[in-house]
Amino acid sequence: LKDEQRYVSIQEAQQILHGKFQEYLAKNAFWIYAKESLTLKAKIERSISYSDLEVKNGWNLLPITEDMIGGFFADIKGDCQTEKMFVWKSATQSWTKINEQYVFSKNEQNLGFLFRAKEDCHLGGSTIALTPPSMPE
């Protein structure tokens, strides 16, 4: 848990966050450690935009949202000054360094990326329309 600055079990997270548990799942990326092989599914009831994400000074592990796909990170970074950015490549089990010209792909949606912000900030910029606008009359 980011605000608690500690790792907890899913059960502990539910107890600590109460009604905000679903929102936390939607607005954060996180590691899950399992002692045995399992399948874990979480149903998120709402769509999240990158502008909804909270960015703190230091390391941030954030989800790759649908409205990030296809655009440069530089276009949505808002007032954030990034020091380092990484994506996790599961095939090689390693972090890959990226920069602000990185374009998130469709197969990365709902995964996470890691970046170090120089201070608390807000992602923002022009969002990519998910549906075309209606035709003028």
Side-chain angles (χ1 to χ4, degrees):
L1 295 177
K2 196 173 2 181
D3 291 340
E4 300 276 326
Q5 294 187 348
R6 64 185 176 115
Y7 295 104
V8 297
S9 70
I10 290 178
Q11 293 83 6
E12 289 174 299
Q14 288 175 314
Q15 291 170 354
I16 294 167
L17 296 170
H18 302 289
K20 294 185 178 189
F21 181 69
Q22 285 288 323
E23 180 180 355
Y24 189 87
L25 291 179
K27 291 184 176 183
N28 293 275
F30 39 87
W31 290 107
I32 296 177
Y33 176 78
K35 294 178 182 179
E36 58 189 50
S37 182
L38 58 90
T39 300
L40 178 66
K41 292 183 182 184
K43 184 176 179 182
I44 307 301
E45 297 291 332
R46 60 187 245 195
S47 179
I48 296 295
S49 169
Y50 60 79
S51 60
D52 295 327
L53 305 177
E54 185 178 343
V55 180
K56 297 282 191 180
N57 177 35
W59 287 108
N60 292 269
L61 187 55
L62 299 175
I64 298 170
T65 61
E66 185 176 12
D67 55 355
M68 289 180 180
I69 305 302
F72 294 111
F73 181 78
D75 295 334
I76 63 163
K77 73 175 195 162
D79 63 356
C80 293
Q81 295 181 28
T82 60
E83 293 180 334
K84 298 176 183 179
M85 296 175 53
F86 298 89
V87 291
W88 178 255
K89 299 295 183 181
S90 59
T92 59
Q93 292 291 292
S94 63
W95 289 107
T96 298
K97 190 171 186 175
I98 61 173
N99 60 34
E100 292 183 0
Q101 298 309 307
Y102 187 79
V103 177
F104 294 111
S105 65
K106 182 71 175 166
N107 65 343
E108 292 175 308
Q109 184 176 335
N110 299 320
L111 298 178
F113 75 105
L114 181 68
F115 81 95
R116 186 170 179 84
K118 290 186 178 183
E119 56 191 24
D120 292 359
C121 60
H122 299 91
L123 296 177
S126 56
T127 59
I128 299 168
L130 301 178
T131 57
S134 61
M135 300 301 263
E137 293 187 34

